[in-house]
PDB file of all heavy atoms in Angstrom:
ATOM      1  N   GLN A   1     -17.226 -19.941 -33.078  1.00  0.00           N
ATOM      2  CA  GLN A   1     -16.188 -19.568 -32.030  1.00  0.00           C
ATOM      3  C   GLN A   1     -16.945 -19.305 -30.734  1.00  0.00           C
ATOM      4  O   GLN A   1     -18.146 -19.042 -30.683  1.00  0.00           O
ATOM      5  CB  GLN A   1     -15.457 -18.239 -32.468  1.00  0.00           C
ATOM      6  CG  GLN A   1     -14.447 -18.466 -33.578  1.00  0.00           C
ATOM      7  CD  GLN A   1     -13.774 -17.136 -33.856  1.00  0.00           C
ATOM      8  OE1 GLN A   1     -14.378 -16.086 -33.762  1.00  0.00           O
ATOM      9  NE2 GLN A   1     -12.483 -17.263 -34.241  1.00  0.00           N
ATOM     10  N   PHE A   2     -16.121 -19.289 -29.656  1.00  0.00           N
ATOM     11  CA  PHE A   2     -16.648 -18.852 -28.422  1.00  0.00           C
ATOM     12  C   PHE A   2     -16.549 -17.318 -28.391  1.00  0.00           C
ATOM     13  O   PHE A   2     -15.673 -16.712 -28.987  1.00  0.00           O
ATOM     14  CB  PHE A   2     -15.801 -19.403 -27.322  1.00  0.00           C
ATOM     15  CG  PHE A   2     -16.084 -20.867 -26.974  1.00  0.00           C
ATOM     16  CD1 PHE A   2     -15.368 -21.881 -27.572  1.00  0.00           C
ATOM     17  CD2 PHE A   2     -17.107 -21.200 -26.105  1.00  0.00           C
ATOM     18  CE1 PHE A   2     -15.665 -23.216 -27.311  1.00  0.00           C
ATOM     19  CE2 PHE A   2     -17.468 -22.555 -25.824  1.00  0.00           C
ATOM     20  CZ  PHE A   2     -16.691 -23.537 -26.457  1.00  0.00           C
ATOM     21  N   VAL A   3     -17.494 -16.697 -27.677  1.00  0.00           N
ATOM     22  CA  VAL A   3     -17.536 -15.298 -27.477  1.00  0.00           C
ATOM     23  C   VAL A   3     -17.497 -14.971 -25.975  1.00  0.00           C
ATOM     24  O   VAL A   3     -18.411 -15.364 -25.262  1.00  0.00           O
ATOM     25  CB  VAL A   3     -18.784 -14.624 -28.163  1.00  0.00           C
ATOM     26  CG1 VAL A   3     -18.792 -13.116 -27.932  1.00  0.00           C
ATOM     27  CG2 VAL A   3     -18.800 -14.938 -29.656  1.00  0.00           C
ATOM     28  N   GLU A   4     -16.439 -14.296 -25.568  1.00  0.00           N
ATOM     29  CA  GLU A   4     -16.309 -13.958 -24.135  1.00  0.00           C
ATOM     30  C   GLU A   4     -16.642 -12.475 -23.859  1.00  0.00           C
ATOM     31  O   GLU A   4     -16.474 -11.637 -24.747  1.00  0.00           O
ATOM     32  CB  GLU A   4     -14.826 -14.186 -23.692  1.00  0.00           C
ATOM     33  CG  GLU A   4     -14.319 -15.588 -23.927  1.00  0.00           C
ATOM     34  CD  GLU A   4     -13.652 -15.855 -25.344  1.00  0.00           C
ATOM     35  OE1 GLU A   4     -13.830 -14.897 -26.208  1.00  0.00           O
ATOM     36  OE2 GLU A   4     -13.146 -16.955 -25.516  1.00  0.00           O
ATOM     37  N   SER A   5     -17.110 -12.234 -22.672  1.00  0.00           N
ATOM     38  CA  SER A   5     -17.473 -10.900 -22.249  1.00  0.00           C
ATOM     39  C   SER A   5     -17.392 -10.732 -20.726  1.00  0.00           C
ATOM     40  O   SER A   5     -17.220 -11.748 -20.077  1.00  0.00           O
ATOM     41  CB  SER A   5     -18.864 -10.534 -22.732  1.00  0.00           C
ATOM     42  OG  SER A   5     -19.833 -11.335 -22.114  1.00  0.00           O
ATOM     43  N   GLY A   6     -17.357  -9.513 -20.314  1.00  0.00           N
ATOM     44  CA  GLY A   6     -17.305  -9.235 -18.862  1.00  0.00           C
ATOM     45  C   GLY A   6     -16.048  -8.729 -18.296  1.00  0.00           C
ATOM     46  O   GLY A   6     -15.938  -8.423 -17.099  1.00  0.00           O
ATOM     47  N   GLY A   7     -14.980  -8.672 -19.121  1.00  0.00           N
ATOM     48  CA  GLY A   7     -13.684  -8.240 -18.683  1.00  0.00           C
ATOM     49  C   GLY A   7     -13.679  -6.745 -18.373  1.00  0.00           C
ATOM     50  O   GLY A   7     -14.617  -6.012 -18.635  1.00  0.00           O
ATOM     51  N   GLY A   8     -12.605  -6.303 -17.804  1.00  0.00           N
ATOM     52  CA  GLY A   8     -12.461  -4.906 -17.505  1.00  0.00           C
ATOM     53  C   GLY A   8     -11.385  -4.707 -16.414  1.00  0.00           C
ATOM     54  O   GLY A   8     -10.637  -5.569 -16.149  1.00  0.00           O
ATOM     55  N   LEU A   9     -11.545  -3.543 -15.801  1.00  0.00           N
ATOM     56  CA  LEU A   9     -10.555  -3.183 -14.759  1.00  0.00           C
ATOM     57  C   LEU A   9     -11.179  -3.540 -13.348  1.00  0.00           C
ATOM     58  O   LEU A   9     -12.338  -3.269 -13.143  1.00  0.00           O
ATOM     59  CB  LEU A   9     -10.287  -1.646 -14.799  1.00  0.00           C
ATOM     60  CG  LEU A   9      -9.222  -1.161 -13.849  1.00  0.00           C
ATOM     61  CD1 LEU A   9      -7.816  -1.720 -14.132  1.00  0.00           C
ATOM     62  CD2 LEU A   9      -9.180   0.409 -13.968  1.00  0.00           C
ATOM     63  N   ALA A  10     -10.333  -4.088 -12.454  1.00  0.00           N
ATOM     64  CA  ALA A  10     -10.697  -4.390 -11.108  1.00  0.00           C
ATOM     65  C   ALA A  10      -9.547  -4.081 -10.202  1.00  0.00           C
ATOM     66  O   ALA A  10      -8.421  -4.120 -10.539  1.00  0.00           O
ATOM     67  CB  ALA A  10     -11.148  -5.839 -11.013  1.00  0.00           C
ATOM     68  N   GLN A  11      -9.942  -3.744  -8.981  1.00  0.00           N
ATOM     69  CA  GLN A  11      -8.876  -3.533  -7.946  1.00  0.00           C
ATOM     70  C   GLN A  11      -8.555  -4.838  -7.271  1.00  0.00           C
ATOM     71  O   GLN A  11      -9.365  -5.800  -7.224  1.00  0.00           O
ATOM     72  CB  GLN A  11      -9.385  -2.512  -6.874  1.00  0.00           C
ATOM     73  CG  GLN A  11      -9.540  -1.118  -7.437  1.00  0.00           C
ATOM     74  CD  GLN A  11      -9.866  -0.167  -6.279  1.00  0.00           C
ATOM     75  OE1 GLN A  11     -10.413  -0.516  -5.308  1.00  0.00           O
ATOM     76  NE2 GLN A  11      -9.417   1.084  -6.454  1.00  0.00           N
ATOM     77  N   ALA A  12      -7.357  -4.976  -6.772  1.00  0.00           N
ATOM     78  CA  ALA A  12      -6.912  -6.124  -6.058  1.00  0.00           C
ATOM     79  C   ALA A  12      -7.916  -6.374  -4.887  1.00  0.00           C
ATOM     80  O   ALA A  12      -8.290  -5.395  -4.199  1.00  0.00           O
ATOM     81  CB  ALA A  12      -5.567  -5.930  -5.550  1.00  0.00           C
ATOM     82  N   GLY A  13      -8.372  -7.547  -4.757  1.00  0.00           N
ATOM     83  CA  GLY A  13      -9.341  -7.960  -3.705  1.00  0.00           C
ATOM     84  C   GLY A  13     -10.817  -7.826  -4.242  1.00  0.00           C
ATOM     85  O   GLY A  13     -11.644  -8.267  -3.507  1.00  0.00           O
ATOM     86  N   GLY A  14     -10.956  -7.345  -5.405  1.00  0.00           N
ATOM     87  CA  GLY A  14     -12.283  -7.164  -5.965  1.00  0.00           C
ATOM     88  C   GLY A  14     -12.771  -8.415  -6.722  1.00  0.00           C
ATOM     89  O   GLY A  14     -12.131  -9.455  -6.670  1.00  0.00           O
ATOM     90  N   SER A  15     -13.868  -8.220  -7.410  1.00  0.00           N
ATOM     91  CA  SER A  15     -14.509  -9.332  -8.159  1.00  0.00           C
ATOM     92  C   SER A  15     -14.843  -8.870  -9.571  1.00  0.00           C
ATOM     93  O   SER A  15     -14.965  -7.749  -9.881  1.00  0.00           O
ATOM     94  CB  SER A  15     -15.791  -9.747  -7.452  1.00  0.00           C
ATOM     95  OG  SER A  15     -15.515 -10.209  -6.136  1.00  0.00           O
ATOM     96  N   ARG A  16     -14.983  -9.931 -10.391  1.00  0.00           N
ATOM     97  CA  ARG A  16     -15.389  -9.742 -11.740  1.00  0.00           C
ATOM     98  C   ARG A  16     -16.074 -11.007 -12.228  1.00  0.00           C
ATOM     99  O   ARG A  16     -15.685 -12.117 -11.795  1.00  0.00           O
ATOM    100  CB  ARG A  16     -14.150  -9.471 -12.631  1.00  0.00           C
ATOM    101  CG  ARG A  16     -14.439  -8.774 -13.915  1.00  0.00           C
ATOM    102  CD  ARG A  16     -14.498  -7.269 -13.711  1.00  0.00           C
ATOM    103  NE  ARG A  16     -15.087  -6.654 -14.834  1.00  0.00           N
ATOM    104  CZ  ARG A  16     -15.343  -5.348 -14.926  1.00  0.00           C
ATOM    105  NH1 ARG A  16     -15.060  -4.523 -13.963  1.00  0.00           N
ATOM    106  NH2 ARG A  16     -15.876  -4.867 -16.035  1.00  0.00           N
ATOM    107  N   ARG A  17     -17.091 -10.886 -13.125  1.00  0.00           N
ATOM    108  CA  ARG A  17     -17.755 -12.050 -13.611  1.00  0.00           C
ATOM    109  C   ARG A  17     -17.656 -12.054 -15.103  1.00  0.00           C
ATOM    110  O   ARG A  17     -18.123 -11.176 -15.811  1.00  0.00           O
ATOM    111  CB  ARG A  17     -19.226 -12.134 -13.215  1.00  0.00           C
ATOM    112  CG  ARG A  17     -19.965 -13.382 -13.531  1.00  0.00           C
ATOM    113  CD  ARG A  17     -21.433 -13.272 -13.401  1.00  0.00           C
ATOM    114  NE  ARG A  17     -22.142 -14.487 -13.386  1.00  0.00           N
ATOM    115  CZ  ARG A  17     -23.415 -14.633 -13.773  1.00  0.00           C
ATOM    116  NH1 ARG A  17     -24.055 -13.550 -14.188  1.00  0.00           N
ATOM    117  NH2 ARG A  17     -24.038 -15.841 -13.700  1.00  0.00           N
ATOM    118  N   LEU A  18     -17.110 -13.152 -15.641  1.00  0.00           N
ATOM    119  CA  LEU A  18     -16.994 -13.370 -17.082  1.00  0.00           C
ATOM    120  C   LEU A  18     -18.115 -14.324 -17.620  1.00  0.00           C
ATOM    121  O   LEU A  18     -18.529 -15.168 -16.941  1.00  0.00           O
ATOM    122  CB  LEU A  18     -15.609 -13.939 -17.478  1.00  0.00           C
ATOM    123  CG  LEU A  18     -14.382 -13.113 -16.988  1.00  0.00           C
ATOM    124  CD1 LEU A  18     -13.107 -13.864 -17.440  1.00  0.00           C
ATOM    125  CD2 LEU A  18     -14.405 -11.719 -17.512  1.00  0.00           C
ATOM    126  N   SER A  19     -18.524 -14.047 -18.894  1.00  0.00           N
ATOM    127  CA  SER A  19     -19.489 -14.889 -19.525  1.00  0.00           C
ATOM    128  C   SER A  19     -18.887 -15.356 -20.814  1.00  0.00           C
ATOM    129  O   SER A  19     -18.090 -14.693 -21.466  1.00  0.00           O
ATOM    130  CB  SER A  19     -20.812 -14.180 -19.795  1.00  0.00           C
ATOM    131  OG  SER A  19     -21.365 -13.725 -18.511  1.00  0.00           O
ATOM    132  N   CYS A  20     -19.345 -16.534 -21.270  1.00  0.00           N
ATOM    133  CA  CYS A  20     -18.869 -17.109 -22.528  1.00  0.00           C
ATOM    134  C   CYS A  20     -20.025 -17.823 -23.160  1.00  0.00           C
ATOM    135  O   CYS A  20     -20.694 -18.642 -22.486  1.00  0.00           O
ATOM    136  CB  CYS A  20     -17.680 -18.060 -22.202  1.00  0.00           C
ATOM    137  SG  CYS A  20     -17.263 -19.110 -23.606  1.00  0.00           S
ATOM    138  N   THR A  21     -20.204 -17.670 -24.444  1.00  0.00           N
ATOM    139  CA  THR A  21     -21.273 -18.301 -25.094  1.00  0.00           C
ATOM    140  C   THR A  21     -20.826 -18.814 -26.457  1.00  0.00           C
ATOM    141  O   THR A  21     -19.864 -18.354 -27.020  1.00  0.00           O
ATOM    142  CB  THR A  21     -22.489 -17.381 -25.312  1.00  0.00           C
ATOM    143  OG1 THR A  21     -23.595 -18.100 -25.778  1.00  0.00           O
ATOM    144  CG2 THR A  21     -22.190 -16.209 -26.217  1.00  0.00           C
ATOM    145  N   ALA A  22     -21.550 -19.876 -26.965  1.00  0.00           N
ATOM    146  CA  ALA A  22     -21.246 -20.347 -28.300  1.00  0.00           C
ATOM    147  C   ALA A  22     -22.527 -21.086 -28.730  1.00  0.00           C
ATOM    148  O   ALA A  22     -23.508 -21.108 -27.993  1.00  0.00           O
ATOM    149  CB  ALA A  22     -20.101 -21.309 -28.257  1.00  0.00           C
ATOM    150  N   SER A  23     -22.456 -21.665 -29.901  1.00  0.00           N
ATOM    151  CA  SER A  23     -23.681 -22.327 -30.426  1.00  0.00           C
ATOM    152  C   SER A  23     -23.937 -23.630 -29.592  1.00  0.00           C
ATOM    153  O   SER A  23     -23.018 -24.154 -28.988  1.00  0.00           O
ATOM    154  CB  SER A  23     -23.457 -22.653 -31.912  1.00  0.00           C
ATOM    155  OG  SER A  23     -22.500 -23.710 -32.035  1.00  0.00           O
ATOM    156  N   GLY A  24     -25.151 -24.066 -29.715  1.00  0.00           N
ATOM    157  CA  GLY A  24     -25.471 -25.301 -28.968  1.00  0.00           C
ATOM    158  C   GLY A  24     -24.722 -26.479 -29.490  1.00  0.00           C
ATOM    159  O   GLY A  24     -24.446 -27.404 -28.702  1.00  0.00           O
ATOM    160  N   VAL A  25     -24.441 -26.460 -30.739  1.00  0.00           N
ATOM    161  CA  VAL A  25     -23.667 -27.572 -31.293  1.00  0.00           C
ATOM    162  C   VAL A  25     -22.358 -27.745 -30.586  1.00  0.00           C
ATOM    163  O   VAL A  25     -21.841 -28.801 -30.369  1.00  0.00           O
ATOM    164  CB  VAL A  25     -23.434 -27.380 -32.790  1.00  0.00           C
ATOM    165  CG1 VAL A  25     -22.526 -28.490 -33.355  1.00  0.00           C
ATOM    166  CG2 VAL A  25     -24.796 -27.444 -33.503  1.00  0.00           C
ATOM    167  N   VAL A  26     -21.718 -26.632 -30.262  1.00  0.00           N
ATOM    168  CA  VAL A  26     -20.410 -26.628 -29.627  1.00  0.00           C
ATOM    169  C   VAL A  26     -20.540 -27.108 -28.177  1.00  0.00           C
ATOM    170  O   VAL A  26     -19.745 -27.815 -27.634  1.00  0.00           O
ATOM    171  CB  VAL A  26     -19.741 -25.250 -29.721  1.00  0.00           C
ATOM    172  CG1 VAL A  26     -18.475 -25.173 -28.904  1.00  0.00           C
ATOM    173  CG2 VAL A  26     -19.501 -24.851 -31.150  1.00  0.00           C
ATOM    174  N   PHE A  27     -21.509 -26.621 -27.506  1.00  0.00           N
ATOM    175  CA  PHE A  27     -21.658 -26.819 -26.062  1.00  0.00           C
ATOM    176  C   PHE A  27     -22.155 -28.209 -25.686  1.00  0.00           C
ATOM    177  O   PHE A  27     -21.733 -28.736 -24.710  1.00  0.00           O
ATOM    178  CB  PHE A  27     -22.663 -25.826 -25.460  1.00  0.00           C
ATOM    179  CG  PHE A  27     -22.014 -24.661 -24.796  1.00  0.00           C
ATOM    180  CD1 PHE A  27     -21.461 -23.623 -25.570  1.00  0.00           C
ATOM    181  CD2 PHE A  27     -22.022 -24.524 -23.436  1.00  0.00           C
ATOM    182  CE1 PHE A  27     -20.836 -22.540 -24.957  1.00  0.00           C
ATOM    183  CE2 PHE A  27     -21.449 -23.415 -22.776  1.00  0.00           C
ATOM    184  CZ  PHE A  27     -20.847 -22.439 -23.607  1.00  0.00           C
ATOM    185  N   LYS A  28     -23.089 -28.722 -26.470  1.00  0.00           N
ATOM    186  CA  LYS A  28     -23.773 -29.911 -26.072  1.00  0.00           C
ATOM    187  C   LYS A  28     -22.900 -31.098 -25.704  1.00  0.00           C
ATOM    188  O   LYS A  28     -22.028 -31.556 -26.533  1.00  0.00           O
ATOM    189  CB  LYS A  28     -24.766 -30.331 -27.216  1.00  0.00           C
ATOM    190  CG  LYS A  28     -25.673 -31.433 -26.751  1.00  0.00           C
ATOM    191  CD  LYS A  28     -26.713 -31.723 -27.893  1.00  0.00           C
ATOM    192  CE  LYS A  28     -27.727 -32.781 -27.468  1.00  0.00           C
ATOM    193  NZ  LYS A  28     -28.727 -33.028 -28.511  1.00  0.00           N
ATOM    194  N   GLY A  29     -23.023 -31.580 -24.450  1.00  0.00           N
ATOM    195  CA  GLY A  29     -22.333 -32.770 -24.069  1.00  0.00           C
ATOM    196  C   GLY A  29     -20.812 -32.541 -23.850  1.00  0.00           C
ATOM    197  O   GLY A  29     -20.080 -33.550 -23.593  1.00  0.00           O
ATOM    198  N   LYS A  30     -20.371 -31.328 -23.936  1.00  0.00           N
ATOM    199  CA  LYS A  30     -18.935 -31.112 -23.867  1.00  0.00           C
ATOM    200  C   LYS A  30     -18.441 -30.507 -22.521  1.00  0.00           C
ATOM    201  O   LYS A  30     -19.229 -29.799 -21.862  1.00  0.00           O
ATOM    202  CB  LYS A  30     -18.452 -30.139 -24.963  1.00  0.00           C
ATOM    203  CG  LYS A  30     -18.788 -30.675 -26.333  1.00  0.00           C
ATOM    204  CD  LYS A  30     -18.092 -31.814 -26.788  1.00  0.00           C
ATOM    205  CE  LYS A  30     -18.108 -32.083 -28.298  1.00  0.00           C
ATOM    206  NZ  LYS A  30     -19.504 -32.036 -28.834  1.00  0.00           N
TER     207      LYS A  30
END
């Protein structure tokens, strides 16, 4: 599965950075 992280609370106008990772088999060439 994919695993997401980086969420949370932000104020309007603000910023947030999300990350997502999975196995190489899933990512490769896709």
Side-chain angles (χ1 to χ4, degrees):
Q1 287 182 325
F2 283 93
V3 178
E4 301 90 353
S5 62
L9 184 64
Q11 290 189 333
S15 298
R16 202 83 194 176
R17 189 193 194 208
L18 303 180
S19 299
C20 165
T21 188
S23 71
V25 173
V26 173
F27 260 74
K28 188 174 183 179
K30 303 293 197 306

